[in-house]
Amino acid sequence: MTRECALLLPGVCAALADPRQPGSDDTCLEKLLDWFRSMTEFDPSVSLVQDNPCLTEFITSILALPEPSPSILSFTLRLAGILASSENRFQHLQQEKLLVRLFGTDGPLSSTVWEDASVRSGWVEGVHSMMHHQPALHFLCNGGGIEVIFALQGDPSLFVASAASRLLVHMLILSVESETTKPFSTKDFDWPACAQMIVKRIEDSLQSSSASHVEQSLKLLTSLFSSCHSRWTEVLWLGIAKQIESFLTEETIQVQRILANLLLNMAWSPVFCDSEGSFWALVTSALERLTPVQAGPLAVGILRLYKCPQDVRIQALTVLLQPMDCILRAASQPLEYAGLLDESVSDPATVESLLSSKSSCASLLCQTLAHLEELLSLMYLRVDLPYTSLLRSLMTILQFCNGFLSPASPLGSTISRILINCIRVQRSALDVLAALSERKGCDTLIGSLFDVLLAYLESPNTTSTVLKKTFQATSKWLVRLHELSCSTSQWQQTEKILADVFLVLQKRLCSPCWEVRDSSLEFLTVLIKCLRDQDEFRQSLLSSEVPRLTENLLEDPESYVRASAVTAVGHLAFITFFAPELPVIGNQYSKENTVAKLQEILSKDPEGFPRRAVISMFTKWLRQGCTGRMEDTERFVSRVIQTVEHDLDWEVRLGGLELVEVFCSQTICQLGLPRCSSVPVLSAVASSIHQNRSLQIFCRAKLFSFLFRSLCDCDKPVGQRACDILFALRGNFYPTGTLRDSQETGELPPGHGIAWLQRTLRQGSLAQNFPTGGGDGVDFEDPESMMLALGTIDLEELHDELNRSSDHVEKSPQSLLQDILATVGTIEENEADCY
């Protein structure tokens, strides 16, 4: 602690303890606690409380108040816990009789203030903070604290209840791992005294007739097995396994749901996943007896495990696929196709009943589909999924949802009526469908699949959110279709599907709903990115009305649509005029016309999104070498940066800097750099300036004006990016030695306005009327001046200033203490004179 803070702390403690003062801001109190945590974390000595007696005096003052403020009492409990986190400070506070008055049965526990949840929360957090050594553990166990914490597991405040459960787990681990003296043995294990108390309460709660007590203990065990993987957890498990197994036969839904979570957390523990005994038998029993809704999360968790018996893994997959199998079997009668499963783990009638109920059908399917999507996202699956049958099941669900399938079976008819126009099932099914495109084995159904997708794209009943998901799935399967066409020469099928897709897209681009137009443009952009090199795709696209309609949407009334149109038009350019070897149909596409339209949007569009899209697209063009010869590129970049440097949107200005960065890099790579001898900057400039074409190009393009102006930008990311670019340019134009020689002189060269530039840049965002040249300023288009500026301006100082947090002073402990004192009105110079 600094001397300044030590002088302020007594006043802060006195102010916080004074009931006449207004309560301090909770945020300030939290920051104060964080400060004490940082001081005590690595210093276990007693010096903090000995050198600052105001801390113990503060605690004593709060305890002496007949009715302390709940927030201040909560703060006091948490502060005492932090101070008692080391054994030395704990003993000091014990000698002062403070801890027993705070955390004992005669403290806040027995007062009316305990009814406030913040006090109970502060008590739990304070105990948790001090629980790092055996004296604290014994203090709490011997003083009846265990009973209090177990009771708080059922607190009406979920925050307090959760904190109490975490505290019990922490105490159990601390007791076993700090107090156990004998070598570990599952047959002869003696629980330490505190651990024995906790374990006994867990066992009693599990045997209780109270469902809430059972739930609390199951949650505690779940937290324990997920955070502690020590061998002694096996001893605990052996003592409660029979009782846990008995819960599988009970009808308490909440208990069974927690039980599934408990088993899954245990399965992740190396203590249990390597075992071949009763644990996996219990998991198997759970998969059989739990309902599909309860067993689903357990099943998908098991399938993600690295270590698991293969028969359990197959059983988990069977549980997960049961609803999809039921859908497939319900779609037709007699069954036309094979189902997903040869046999069921649990009674198929249970799944049929859930799917036949309006209240559970959609929920079960959405949960199942989410789990399947999770599995399909894994790089490697340790079981084989029946991809073809799964795809057929997904198509069936989607057809049920839009009413395009009329099942013959009674079950299918019931499911179809429930799912008709069910948006959340449609979205979930389309997500899985998209993920399935990356898996092999679905090729035989691709024609039928596109029939389903096109039906959704064409249907006026498809909502905008479902349509967006349909576009995403369609784009992925079109890429898959291209891969299949290359290997099987099925060009006619590909051409037919592409023609149908673009026909639908034309209609969607004219939709009165702006979300639909926006999704359509995004879909087009994705297709171009993935398929622009394919002849069939280009021909189908350019022979449709899609390019014309897309360009028309540059004038859409909705800014999001205009932004998406800019991106789509920018990517269309790679097909229409940036690839001269590609045939272009007619002369309706003009590069100059498109560039002019985008530049007009950049300079005149009233919304930021379209302007950001334009600068992003221009940078992409430049990066891919699509802007022509070097002279054309120079003019293009100059025109763009003169537009964006005054843009009110900082992201547009930042985009302009990215464009500059790409331009500089490409120019230097194309032209190279002259070699500079290791002489002072002033001499190096004269000998190299006329040889340096890159520098001359940058000056003509007005890059330096933009870069130096950006250093004073009021938005820090812009200044930081500009500084990084100038650093890179300086590194290219100057060897390290020449910079060191010039900067050691400590003097700025006369003339050229460099001194003025340095002064202006030091003002940062406060700089006013940043001139572009003339008068006392600097000529940003003069190569010699810019060479001098790069070599002499202290970019390191600017870089440090730009990267320094704006609240580096305000976040200091001293400032925090001053803020608290100012809040309670004890700093005289901060008091306002009302007269």
Side-chain angles (χ1 to χ4, degrees):
M1 185 185 300
T2 64
R3 179 177 176 275
E4 291 78 11
C5 289
L7 292 173
L8 290 168
L9 189 57
V12 169
C13 290
L16 293 177
D18 188 347
R20 298 169 301 173
Q21 296 286 0
S24 186
D25 179 66
D26 286 345
T27 304
C28 289
L29 295 180
E30 288 293 335
K31 291 179 179 178
L32 195 56
L33 289 171
D34 289 339
W35 178 48
F36 280 110
R37 284 191 194 96
S38 66
M39 287 191 292
T40 58
E41 189 173 6
F42 301 108
D43 181 11
S45 70
V46 75
S47 59
L48 177 63
V49 287
Q50 284 183 338
D51 297 344
N52 299 280
C54 60
L55 293 173
T56 53
E57 291 169 5
F58 165 73
I59 297 173
T60 303
S61 300
I62 296 300
L63 289 169
L65 294 174
E67 293 184 7
S69 159
S71 64
I72 292 297
L73 180 56
S74 176
F75 168 80
T76 307
L77 289 163
R78 296 161 70 192
L79 173 62
I82 292 169
L83 295 176
S85 59
S86 82
E87 193 168 342
N88 292 330
R89 290 191 299 270
F90 176 88
Q91 300 294 358
H92 181 87
L93 294 176
Q94 274 286 70
Q95 291 170 8
E96 300 279 342
K97 306 294 184 184
L98 295 177
L99 294 179
V100 70
R101 294 172 63 191
L102 282 169
F103 300 102
T105 54
D106 295 331
L109 282 167
S110 58
S111 68
T112 56
V113 76
W114 185 253
E115 297 175 4
D116 193 290
S118 66
V119 175
R120 301 194 299 275
S121 174
W123 189 92
V124 174
E125 287 190 44
V127 171
H128 203 142
S129 294
M130 79 166 78
M131 209 54 59
H132 291 287
H133 44 80
Q134 290 186 31
L137 195 62
H138 295 153
F139 160 75
L140 198 75
C141 293
N142 297 335
I146 295 291
E147 300 297 324
V148 176
I149 302 170
F150 265 98
L152 287 174
Q153 281 194 111
D155 196 273
S157 166
L158 294 178
F159 183 82
V160 174
S162 177
S165 182
R166 290 195 302 272
L167 174 56
L168 285 169
V169 170
H170 178 72
M171 290 174 64
L172 179 56
I173 295 172
L174 176 64
S175 176
V176 174
E177 299 188 352
S178 68
E179 297 185 302
T180 302
T181 55
K182 294 182 180 179
F184 173 80
S185 171
T186 55
K187 297 180 180 180
D188 182 24
F189 184 78
D190 292 328
W191 294 103
C194 291
Q196 179 64 51
M197 295 173 66
I198 297 173
V199 171
K200 181 68 168 58
R201 282 300 305 264
I202 293 173
E203 292 173 344
D204 291 345
S205 295
L206 290 174
Q207 295 172 6
S208 168
S209 59
S210 169
S212 62
H213 287 172
V214 174
E215 290 174 19
Q216 291 162 18
S217 288
L218 287 175
K219 288 179 180 178
L220 190 156
L221 290 168
T222 301
S223 178
L224 173 65
F225 289 126
S226 67
S227 59
C228 180
H229 299 157
S230 299
R231 290 296 308 279
W232 61 263
T233 56
E234 185 179 3
V235 180
L236 175 61
W237 171 249
L238 292 173
I240 60 176
K242 290 294 183 183
Q243 184 62 39
I244 297 293
E245 187 174 4
S246 70
F247 295 141
L248 289 174
T249 59
E250 298 183 4
E251 297 299 324
T252 309
I253 294 176
Q254 183 64 18
V255 168
Q256 292 183 334
R257 185 179 293 113
I258 300 171
L259 181 58
N261 195 28
L262 168 63
L263 293 175
L264 182 56
N265 277 277
M266 291 176 66
W268 281 99
S269 169
V271 176
F272 300 101
C273 72
D274 290 331
S275 67
E276 297 181 0
S278 60
F279 172 70
W280 288 114
L282 182 58
V283 171
T284 300
S285 180
L287 289 171
E288 292 174 354
R289 296 181 181 181
L290 294 176
T291 68
V293 175
Q294 295 164 350
L298 176 61
V300 74
I302 288 170
L303 290 170
R304 291 178 64 94
L305 289 173
Y306 177 72
K307 289 185 177 181
C308 174
Q310 188 64 11
D311 59 330
V312 178
R313 193 175 279 133
I314 292 172
Q315 188 176 17
L317 179 63
T318 303
V319 167
L320 199 60
L321 292 177
Q322 269 187 278
M324 305 300 289
D325 180 69
C326 186
I327 288 287
L328 202 54
R329 293 179 183 276
S332 60
Q333 192 175 6
L335 189 65
E336 297 176 16
Y337 308 106
L340 278 84
L341 305 174
D342 296 325
E343 59 182 25
S344 298
V345 173
S346 57
D347 185 2
T350 304
V351 178
E352 292 178 9
S353 175
L354 288 169
L355 291 177
S356 300
S357 169
K358 192 170 185 178
S359 62
S360 58
C361 179
S363 297
L364 175 59
L365 284 178
C366 285
Q367 175 182 285
T368 302
L369 292 166
H371 290 155
L372 287 170
E373 185 184 10
E374 183 180 346
L375 287 182
L376 290 169
S377 69
L378 300 178
M379 293 292 294
Y380 176 67
L381 269 176
R382 291 170 179 81
V383 289
D384 293 327
L385 281 171
Y387 295 119
T388 302
S389 297
L390 183 57
L391 177 57
R392 185 174 282 116
S393 182
L394 287 168
M395 291 160 53
T396 302
I397 290 173
L398 289 170
Q399 288 174 308
F400 276 159
C401 289
N402 68 1
F404 282 18
L405 184 65
S406 300
S409 71
L411 176 61
S413 298
T414 301
I415 295 173
S416 180
R417 284 196 302 271
I418 293 171
L419 293 181
I420 192 73
N421 293 327
C422 183
I423 294 174
R424 60 191 185 115
V425 172
Q426 289 174 320
R427 293 173 61 182
S428 297
L430 288 164
D431 282 336
V432 181
L433 196 64
L436 205 56
S437 66
E438 300 174 9
R439 303 287 176 170
K440 309 297 182 184
C442 303
D443 307 348
T444 56
L445 297 177
I446 203 158
S448 301
L449 168 63
F450 274 103
D451 288 341
V452 174
L453 290 172
L454 284 166
Y456 266 78
L457 293 175
E458 292 171 349
S459 174
N461 295 325
T462 303
T463 65
S464 59
T465 55
V466 173
L467 182 67
K468 188 180 181 74
K469 293 285 186 183
T470 309
F471 276 139
Q472 291 169 352
T474 303
S475 63
K476 287 181 175 291
W477 278 100
L478 282 172
V479 173
R480 178 75 183 132
L481 177 65
H482 164 69
E483 294 171 356
L484 290 174
S485 299
C486 291
S487 59
T488 60
S489 300
Q490 296 178 342
W491 304 115
Q492 289 183 341
Q493 182 188 34
T494 302
E495 290 175 2
K496 169 75 168 57
I497 290 173
L498 283 171
D500 290 342
V501 167
F502 285 126
L503 191 61
V504 174
L505 186 58
Q506 289 173 187
K507 297 177 182 177
R508 291 300 188 178
L509 288 170
C510 300
S511 170
C513 175
W514 75 263
E515 291 95 343
V516 171
R517 300 195 301 276
D518 191 54
S519 296
S520 302
L521 290 166
E522 291 175 352
F523 170 64
L524 174 62
T525 301
V526 171
L527 289 186
I528 296 173
K529 286 180 179 178
C530 297
L531 299 172
R532 75 185 194 196
D533 296 331
Q534 311 309 318
D535 290 337
E536 319 84 47
F537 172 76
R538 292 194 303 266
Q539 290 169 5
S540 295
L541 173 60
L542 296 178
S543 61
S544 71
E545 291 294 306
V546 169
R548 181 184 62 80
L549 294 172
T550 301
E551 193 163 318
N552 290 346
L553 291 177
L554 291 173
E555 300 175 7
D556 195 274
E558 175 57 51
S559 64
Y560 290 109
V561 178
R562 294 199 301 277
S564 296
V566 165
T567 305
V569 167
H571 282 86
L572 267 171
F574 292 117
I575 294 176
T576 53
F577 45 73
F578 282 154
E581 73 280 3
L582 300 177
V584 177
I585 299 174
N587 295 317
Q588 69 265 45
Y589 304 111
S590 164
K591 174 180 176 180
E592 291 73 20
N593 184 46
T594 300
V595 173
K597 283 186 177 181
L598 295 187
Q599 286 182 331
E600 183 179 9
I601 291 173
L602 183 62
S603 61
K604 295 182 179 179
D605 198 292
E607 299 290 338
F609 295 110
R611 302 199 305 274
R612 292 177 199 170
V614 171
I615 193 64
S616 176
M617 210 62 242
F618 281 170
T619 303
K620 192 179 293 290
W621 286 357
L622 182 62
R623 201 185 299 276
Q624 298 193 23
C626 299
T627 52
R629 299 173 302 172
M630 185 175 292
E631 295 81 4
D632 297 331
T633 301
E634 177 188 328
R635 286 192 293 271
F636 170 73
V637 170
S638 179
R639 217 166 33 240
V640 171
I641 63 175
Q642 288 179 68
T643 302
V644 303
E645 68 177 337
H646 299 293
D647 198 290
L648 297 179
D649 188 325
W650 71 269
E651 291 193 49
V652 175
R653 301 194 299 275
L654 189 64
L657 289 170
E658 185 180 354
L659 180 86
V660 166
E661 189 173 28
V662 173
F663 176 62
C664 291
S665 175
Q666 289 184 345
T667 303
I668 290 171
C669 287
Q670 289 180 37
L671 297 179
L673 285 169
R675 293 179 177 272
C676 291
S677 57
S678 297
V679 293
V681 173
L682 293 176
S683 302
V685 169
S687 62
S688 66
I689 195 66
H690 297 295
Q691 307 170 37
N692 198 333
R693 284 187 59 202
S694 298
L695 187 63
Q696 294 169 2
I697 289 172
F698 298 157
C699 288
R700 287 198 304 268
K702 299 181 173 60
L703 258 62
F704 288 107
S705 173
F706 181 37
L707 287 170
F708 282 113
R709 178 189 295 276
S710 297
L711 288 175
C712 299
D713 199 283
C714 56
D715 289 286
K716 186 174 289 189
V718 177
Q720 290 170 329
R721 189 64 170 267
C723 195
D724 291 340
I725 296 172
L726 287 167
F727 258 127
L729 287 175
R730 190 180 71 178
N732 278 308
F733 290 133
Y734 281 103
T736 306
T738 61
L739 273 177
R740 185 172 57 250
D741 293 342
S742 66
Q743 291 174 350
E744 284 175 355
T745 64
E747 296 181 2
L748 292 172
H752 300 284
I754 304 302
W756 165 86
L757 183 59
Q758 179 78 72
R759 289 193 305 272
T760 304
L761 294 176
R762 280 176 176 162
Q763 297 175 42
S765 59
L766 300 177
Q768 300 292 323
N769 302 321
F770 197 103
T772 56
D776 294 331
V778 60
D779 186 355
F780 292 105
E781 297 180 40
D782 175 44
E784 185 176 351
S785 296
M786 291 302 95
M787 195 74 170
L788 288 170
L790 285 173
T792 54
I793 294 294
D794 192 346
L795 293 176
E796 285 79 5
E797 178 188 1
L798 294 170
H799 181 270
D800 292 344
E801 186 64 32
L802 286 166
N803 285 278
R804 180 181 296 175
S805 174
S806 60
D807 55 1
H808 65 280
V809 175
E810 288 77 4
K811 276 190 174 180
S812 68
Q814 181 179 343
S815 175
L816 174 62
L817 297 175
Q818 290 171 339
D819 286 346
I820 295 174
L821 288 172
T823 301
V824 297
T826 55
I827 296 182
E828 293 182 2
E829 57 268 29
N830 282 355
E831 292 179 349
D833 186 349
C834 300
Y835 300 99

